[in-house]
Amino acid sequence: MKKKEEARRRIKKNQMLKDKNKNKNQSQYALTFEACNSSHKIWTNLVKREKTMKKNSQQKKNQEIKLETNELKKHLKQNNQK
């Protein structure tokens, strides 16, 4: 009778330790996953921001070029009229 109780206690204790380790591993995995996920989000946001900055700077350059060409056209027209 006593041996059976001892065996049950050991089994119960071992099961509790297994559950504890399982929960610990799951929480570590969750933390690692969360850290990777947030760093990936930061990276994608940086890449998006860089792309939009490049696009905006290119649009600004194109706009400046258009203004310059318009000014040159006006100047040429004025010279042709003289």
Side-chain angles (χ1 to χ4, degrees):
M1 208 53 178
K2 201 171 192 180
K3 289 183 181 179
K4 285 184 180 180
E5 287 179 25
E6 291 276 329
R8 285 183 188 151
R9 284 188 194 142
R10 271 188 276 132
I11 290 171
K12 191 173 183 180
K13 186 178 179 182
N14 286 340
Q15 188 62 39
M16 286 174 57
L17 287 173
K18 284 180 185 178
D19 291 344
K20 185 178 177 182
N21 286 337
K22 185 178 178 182
N23 290 340
K24 184 179 176 184
N25 290 339
Q26 285 177 344
S27 64
Q28 286 176 346
Y29 172 78
L31 289 174
T32 305
F33 178 77
E34 187 64 34
C36 290
N37 196 20
S38 63
S39 64
H40 177 70
K41 285 180 183 176
I42 291 170
W43 176 256
T44 53
N45 285 340
L46 286 174
V47 169
K48 285 179 185 177
R49 187 180 301 152
E50 186 177 333
K51 284 182 180 179
T52 55
M53 287 175 62
K54 284 182 181 179
K55 184 179 175 184
N56 290 342
S57 67
Q58 187 62 39
Q59 286 176 344
K60 191 174 182 180
K61 285 178 187 176
N62 289 345
Q63 193 175 24
E64 288 174 359
I65 290 172
K66 282 182 182 179
L67 288 174
E68 287 177 8
T69 53
N70 286 341
E71 288 176 17
L72 285 172
K73 285 179 183 178
K74 286 179 185 177
H75 186 69
L76 285 172
K77 280 184 181 179
Q78 287 177 354
N79 281 347
N80 286 341
Q81 287 177 355
K82 290 182 181 179

